[in-house]
Amino acid sequence: MSGLIAKFSKNIIFPLQALREKSGMTHRLAEFEKSQYLSAAEIEELRFNRVKSLLIHAYENCPFYSRRFDKIGFDPNKFQSLDDIKAIPALTKEDIQNHKDNLRAKNYGDDMIVPDKTGGSTGRPLNFYMNRSRVFSRDAAALRHDRWTGWDIGDKSAYMWGHRGDVIGEASFKSKLRNILLDRRVVLDTSSITAEKLKLFKERLRKFKPKIYIAYANSMYLFARYLKETGSADHHRPQAIITSAELLGPEQRELIESVFGCKVFDRYGSRETSIIASECERHSGLHICAEALYLEFIKEGEQVEPGEPGKIIITDLLNYGMPFIRYQIEDVGTPVNEICSCGRGLPLMKMAGGRMTDFLVTSDGKIISGASLTIYLIANAPGVAQAQIIQETKDEIILRIVKDDRFGDESYRFFELEIPRFFGPAMKYDFEFVEEIPLESSGKYRFSISKIDPAEMF
Ligand SMILES: [Zn+2]
């Protein structure tokens, strides 16, 4: 029966939904499926053409880039090799925080643009835009990478994610129906985990039997630890597990793979640019989603040698609504100069630094994913340029904050309202205002730091 629904969903519902939304999803997915097997040289050519078109578009339509290019005498019409892009200064998060409206393309009206926001990989809240069709190309790219695990459209999946609404929409009849017929997902909300909820989730998975799990890396690790430490060997085992949203350590991967008896497919993505890179079935690095993104790995202004870590700089080739040109995402990665044995021409990389988060806990037994908090708490905080949360005891947290000039009464009211929503009414909190929050050694950024092991809560 479940197999029949999967086929019905893939072959009937998915194309119908694409038609209804005018998303071009079936066509977009087919394109991504095809282009992944282009040769490295063909992908390079595609990227060059897309970078050049984007630069010309940004110069003509975005005041921020017109000024920036003029200032350095950069003429996008004379762009001759991908290397030329290095002349353009990197786009920082502060640039986006301060010049959001001038970064928007004038020829994209409000009805062609979708606003979004993020807490970012280093706790800096960011509001940004993308053009409507970019929403669909992001979804299509993610579907392609999901399919590398053996999952296909219509197959069931389970999510350990920061917000239920993000995964299966609002609690309306329409989104429930869509979930039954098309998406076929169950969700554990990682912004509020308890031992009881982990137990119920385990039972739900046994009945629902999803093909894959998709999870924040640290949340998946916590679930694996829970199953191991409570001796629940009778749990469901998926075919594959996708981890995302925070760095996955080797010991975490090892435990997850041994508890669930399947491979982990690690993934690197961001809210601003969607899926950036992910592992294929060969697990020899992460394939960059190169048709949509141009990545540079930079050290002291120059591209690093393969195998050496560098700061990741991203140019989104398909977001014409608000071009991200040489966006400094504040993560660190290593380019890999090898062709993967899977036959895909998409270049490979490895993660070297990025977001790490500890879980935070409350005295009444709740566990809160740090990754959830960057996405759903800090992204919305007014006047916060960057933030970090520190917990030493179960009843108090410290909010370490770099203010921007909008920080004021509204910011205090925001935390007064939101802290109890995430942590319950008993949690005490205090502010510590600082000039900057430095990265740890090797480019890692720990958004939340806790002295308490969440496994104490099982
Ligand atoms: Zn591969």
Side-chain angles (χ1 to χ4, degrees):
M1 182 63 189
S2 188
L4 269 181
I5 298 175
K7 280 204 183 85
F8 174 69
S9 176
K10 183 185 174 185
N11 299 318
I12 312 279
I13 303 288
F14 177 71
L16 277 179
Q17 177 74 8
L19 275 179
R20 200 182 65 80
E21 286 179 343
K22 297 192 177 69
S23 63
M25 193 58 83
T26 39
H27 170 71
R28 287 176 203 277
L29 176 59
E31 285 223 318
F32 274 116
E33 290 288 358
K34 199 171 148 201
S35 56
Q36 64 184 330
Y37 290 108
L38 292 174
S39 69
E42 287 166 322
I43 287 172
E44 199 70 357
E45 191 188 336
L46 176 84
R47 292 213 283 195
F48 170 79
N49 291 330
R50 288 189 173 174
V51 168
K52 185 165 183 173
S53 305
L54 179 81
L55 294 176
I56 294 171
H57 159 77
Y59 184 60
E60 287 171 357
N61 298 294
C62 309
F64 178 87
Y65 288 113
S66 315
R67 275 202 294 273
R68 175 162 279 191
F69 291 5
D70 281 343
K71 200 172 163 192
I72 57 165
F74 180 82
D75 180 355
N77 292 293
K78 292 187 182 147
F79 190 70
Q80 278 183 339
S81 99
L82 280 170
D83 224 30
D84 294 349
I85 202 170
K86 281 193 305 203
I88 305 170
L91 179 72
T92 62
K93 297 196 176 182
E94 287 80 6
D95 287 335
I96 299 171
Q97 285 168 334
N98 298 329
H99 305 282
K100 186 175 64 136
D101 291 314
N102 281 329
L103 279 158
R104 233 184 100 163
K106 286 179 298 190
N107 57 339
Y108 278 73
D110 287 347
D111 57 333
M112 296 160 79
I113 290 283
V114 182
D116 202 357
K117 58 188 159 195
T118 174
S121 49
T122 51
R124 291 184 212 273
L126 214 58
N127 286 275
F128 60 95
Y129 303 108
M130 65 191 116
N131 49 291
R132 202 164 282 284
S133 67
R134 182 69 183 114
V135 177
F136 301 129
S137 65
R138 289 164 65 128
D139 287 352
L143 281 178
R144 171 181 74 182
H145 291 241
D146 290 348
R147 293 184 78 225
W148 294 352
T149 63
W151 172 93
D152 202 357
I153 295 156
D155 287 337
K156 293 177 188 174
S157 49
Y159 280 74
M160 297 186 79
W161 213 252
H163 193 262
R164 200 174 171 278
D166 248 22
V167 179
I168 51 178
E170 300 310 313
S172 66
F173 173 71
K174 221 169 90 179
S175 64
K176 277 184 191 153
L177 190 67
R178 183 188 155 116
N179 193 44
I180 292 167
L181 291 175
L182 180 61
D183 299 333
R184 312 187 75 205
R185 297 167 176 170
V186 289
V187 184
L188 178 78
D189 181 348
T190 53
S191 65
S192 172
I193 301 172
T194 58
E196 183 60 23
K197 284 185 187 171
L198 288 175
K199 187 168 163 235
L200 288 172
F201 192 58
K202 184 197 132 195
E203 292 309 319
R204 266 189 98 184
L205 294 173
R206 268 164 58 107
K207 291 200 183 85
F208 190 69
K209 300 186 180 66
K211 197 165 203 174
I212 55 166
Y213 300 169
I214 302 182
Y216 290 173
N218 214 8
S219 298
M220 196 71 245
Y221 175 62
L222 181 77
F223 189 41
R225 275 185 77 185
Y226 166 80
L227 293 172
K228 197 174 174 204
E229 282 168 33
T230 54
S232 320
D234 59 337
H235 59 85
H236 170 258
R237 287 167 174 79
Q239 190 172 307
I241 293 174
I242 297 176
T243 54
S244 180
E246 46 201 339
L247 285 175
L248 176 78
E251 67 294 337
Q252 291 181 315
R253 182 193 292 259
E254 206 171 291
L255 182 80
I256 295 168
E257 290 187 341
S258 84
V259 166
F260 293 101
C262 70
K263 281 290 191 185
V264 167
F265 289 68
D266 195 30
R267 173 172 295 187
Y268 171 40
S270 82
R271 191 108 181 168
E272 307 89 291
T273 57
S274 184
I275 187 152
I276 299 168
S278 75
E279 287 179 11
C280 72
E281 66 281 5
R282 301 296 163 91
H283 305 275
S284 49
L286 287 75
H287 281 287
I288 297 169
C289 185
E291 308 95 324
L293 304 169
Y294 174 57
L295 264 66
E296 298 166 76
F297 302 85
I298 299 290
K299 193 176 174 186
E300 287 154 11
E302 291 298 324
Q303 172 80 22
V304 298
E305 294 298 320
E308 252 187 64
K311 283 183 186 168
I312 300 174
I313 304 273
I314 302 182
T315 299
D316 185 331
L317 308 178
L318 303 177
N319 183 4
Y320 273 53
M322 176 167 158
F324 281 70
I325 296 174
R326 303 203 76 223
Y327 172 52
Q328 196 170 310
I329 193 164
E330 298 176 343
D331 292 324
V332 180
T334 309
V336 175
N337 193 18
E338 279 161 36
I339 302 289
C340 187
S341 59
C342 71
R344 295 180 182 92
L346 301 171
L348 292 168
M349 63 167 285
K350 291 196 166 140
M351 289 309 291
R355 177 170 63 201
M356 299 174 72
T357 73
D358 290 347
F359 281 97
L360 300 163
V361 300
T362 68
S363 46
D364 58 353
K366 210 164 100 170
I367 306 171
I368 302 145
S369 146
S372 295
L373 292 170
T374 60
I375 300 168
Y376 301 102
L377 175 70
I378 296 306
N380 296 310
V384 172
Q386 194 177 9
Q388 188 174 47
I389 305 180
I390 298 127
Q391 179 167 41
E392 301 213 346
T393 61
K394 281 181 193 170
D395 58 0
E396 189 175 17
I397 52 170
I398 308 285
L399 301 164
R400 183 175 287 164
I401 285 174
V402 180
K403 296 189 222 178
D404 70 20
D405 48 18
R406 286 160 297 184
F407 196 93
D409 291 348
E410 197 198 335
S411 317
Y412 287 108
R413 277 198 300 276
F414 172 85
F415 287 110
E416 213 174 292
L417 201 71
E418 294 296 322
I419 295 295
R421 238 166 49 85
F422 282 92
F423 295 92
M427 182 62 83
K428 288 181 279 186
Y429 64 96
D430 207 351
F431 293 98
E432 183 188 316
F433 297 108
V434 292
E435 291 297 315
E436 63 167 343
I437 301 172
L439 295 177
E440 293 189 356
S441 59
S442 74
K444 293 187 179 68
Y445 173 74
R446 199 173 285 278
F447 167 74
S448 47
I449 302 170
S450 175
K451 301 274 159 71
I452 305 155
D453 184 353
E456 277 180 27
M457 309 308 242
F458 298 157

